Amino acid sequence: MVTQQAAVLSPEAMVEEFEKNGVTHVVTIPDSETNYLYELMKEQDGLEIVPTSREGETFGIALGLLVAGKTPVVLIQNTGMMESGDSIRGMVLDAGFPLVMVVGYRGWNRHGIITDSAATYTEPFLNAFRINYYLVEQDADSTRISTAFEEARATNRPVAILVGDEYHGFNR
Amino acid sequence: MIQSADVFRVFQEHRGDAIVIPTGTSGRHWREFTTNENRDLNMGGAMGQTTSAALGLALGLPDEKVVLFDSEGALLMNLGILATIAGMKPENFCHIVLDNECYATTGGQPVPNAQEINYAGMAKESGYSSAYSFDDLEEFATNVEEIMQATGPVFVAIKVVPEVENEPIGMRVRPPTRSRAETIRDLRSELGISAD
């Protein structure tokens, strides 16, 4: 009997996309779900991790890094993204710099009823801020990350990556 | 308490080539004293987050001194940033809080527990390299060079006289200033950072 392994998004694929797009800093709040990614990122030469105390900080820090000519990404959970509304408005949307925000899609699933309000309001939140987004669930989707970087650079706007595999590949 | 303008007048003599980020009602006085506008940066946009942006700038430009003039109202909106800054240990970062104990721009309502908070104490216990408090101009003037030479992150809390605004926002007269985008453009040009 053959057991089919579920397709997952590996942290290595995410880091590879960061490297491909010249990411210099990952501004983040570590959490248990993305711990393996955090550990992997710490090992990468040329990739500096900036741990923060609250998600709203991440967008201001990213703006400062962008002004300095660096290429940061923000790595947070959807709950923190919603807490960060005014920072996203004032420090990203109004500033006119390209920024990819990688957002853990807590509560999302493809196979059943979504009961976690964190997931329920994630896409409406992004739509309200007119931020385009791409869902990434497995390694085969990882090219969408480069698509997001290209779009951010072309538009000088934020673009979100929703990581739909938050409880799976990153937490092996 | 010290007049904010006097703080800036004294600071200017010790500024050197530092990038200066003024914020808040008190911060407007910096325009009266700066002699290098290309290194002055407006990073406002979301109250409390200018501190975050200043940290990002300091991390991205480790060879440049970055001096932030923050306000206590803004800091209270984002207190966790003290731990974030202390954790990153930016040696080139000087964080000065002008504490007028109130929200001057909305009519002077006091910030929570305005007269009892020890901001320098919080910064020091968060892990800043050093922290200072001043409510006397001469004392600040005596120490400002040491502050500018100290290894960061350095925190300075200064009690300043509130300059309360009560006019409706639409009736307030403001001198023309460069926009955030213009100050970013000028600083990047000054530092040779290419605009993407």
Side-chain angles (χ1 to χ4, degrees):
Chain A
M1 181 178 180
V2 176
T3 303
Q4 185 177 1
Q5 185 177 356
V8 297
L9 174 62
S10 66
E12 288 83 358
M14 180 75 80
V15 169
E16 187 179 326
E17 290 294 320
F18 286 174
E19 288 179 347
K20 196 186 301 181
N21 287 282
V23 172
T24 58
H25 294 75
V26 180
V27 190
T28 184
I29 293 196
D31 59 64
S32 57
E33 287 76 24
T34 59
N35 183 55
Y36 186 84
L37 175 62
Y38 183 79
E39 295 298 326
L40 185 64
M41 289 188 303
K42 279 202 306 187
E43 296 170 3
Q44 307 302 311
D45 292 336
L47 194 60
E48 185 167 1
I49 310 302
V50 184
T52 63
S53 305
R54 192 73 165 133
E55 287 85 350
E57 297 172 17
T58 63
F59 297 97
I61 294 169
L63 175 59
L65 288 164
L66 285 161
V67 170
K70 305 301 181 185
T71 305
V73 296
V74 162
L75 173 64
I76 57 176
Q77 200 178 55
N78 50 356
T79 49
M81 176 187 73
M82 288 185 265
E83 185 271 338
S84 304
D86 193 48
S87 297
I88 294 172
R89 176 201 62 77
M91 308 309 273
V92 183
L93 289 167
D94 286 355
F97 280 94
L99 179 67
V100 169
M101 39 198 283
V102 181
V103 179
Y105 203 166
R106 193 190 97 179
W108 187 89
N109 73 75
R110 184 178 285 279
H111 305 293
I113 296 170
I114 291 175
T115 57
D116 187 339
S117 63
T120 303
Y121 296 115
T122 293
E123 292 182 52
F125 179 95
L126 287 164
N127 288 329
F129 280 77
R130 298 173 189 164
I131 296 173
N132 199 21
Y133 54 89
Y134 295 90
L135 178 64
V136 175
E137 297 176 275
Q138 51 187 296
D139 283 356
D141 302 331
S142 62
T143 56
R144 289 179 183 164
I145 298 170
S146 280
T147 301
F149 276 99
E150 289 162 14
E151 184 175 317
R153 286 191 289 262
T155 60
N156 282 327
R157 286 179 55 83
V159 178
I161 294 290
L162 295 178
V163 180
D165 190 39
E166 187 183 14
Y167 299 105
H168 199 170
F170 283 179
N171 193 26
R172 56 192 179 182
Chain B
M1 284 189 170
I2 305 171
Q3 296 291 342
S4 301
D6 287 338
V7 172
F8 288 116
R9 178 174 53 77
V10 168
F11 169 77
Q12 166 55 25
E13 297 171 18
H14 303 268
R15 181 235 186 114
D17 289 331
I19 297 166
V20 177
I21 305 172
T23 61
T25 310
S26 302
R28 293 182 197 134
H29 287 292
W30 177 240
R31 293 195 300 265
E32 301 161 23
F33 300 99
T34 182
T35 58
N36 191 352
E37 286 196 335
N38 286 343
R39 283 176 172 261
D40 296 340
L41 194 57
N42 168 8
M43 290 295 268
M47 189 169 177
Q49 295 305 336
T50 304
T51 324
S52 307
L55 170 62
L57 191 76
L59 294 175
L61 298 171
D63 295 328
E64 300 287 344
K65 186 85 170 180
V66 175
V67 180
L68 168 68
F69 282 92
D70 208 348
S71 69
E72 90 290 354
L75 180 60
L76 284 172
M77 286 194 179
N78 191 20
L79 265 183
I81 194 69
L82 294 176
T84 303
I85 291 168
M88 292 307 297
K89 300 178 171 51
E91 296 184 357
N92 58 332
F93 188 52
C94 180
H95 185 180
I96 300 175
V97 170
L98 300 181
D99 173 15
N100 62 13
E101 299 184 354
C102 69
Y103 301 109
T105 196
T106 60
Q109 304 90 339
V111 301
N113 204 23
Q115 297 181 0
E116 304 297 327
I117 301 179
N118 178 356
Y119 296 105
M122 285 196 287
K124 184 61 180 167
E125 294 302 318
S126 294
Y128 276 61
S129 299
S130 55
Y132 301 77
S133 292
F134 300 105
D135 60 6
D136 177 83
L137 182 63
E138 292 308 313
E139 197 179 344
F140 173 63
T142 301
N143 286 277
V144 63
E145 184 58 30
E146 175 186 301
I147 289 165
M148 289 298 288
Q149 297 302 323
T151 299
V154 178
F155 186 93
V156 182
I158 304 176
K159 289 284 188 186
V160 296
V161 177
E163 297 171 47
V164 174
E165 296 180 292
N166 277 315
E167 300 85 3
I169 290 235
M171 298 176 66
R172 294 177 191 174
V173 179
R174 297 263 194 265
T177 59
R178 291 179 302 153
S179 68
R180 178 170 69 179
E182 288 169 332
T183 66
I184 291 172
R185 179 201 62 201
D186 293 346
L187 178 70
R188 296 181 106 200
S189 175
E190 168 90 2
L191 299 178
I193 299 169
S194 63
D196 298 322

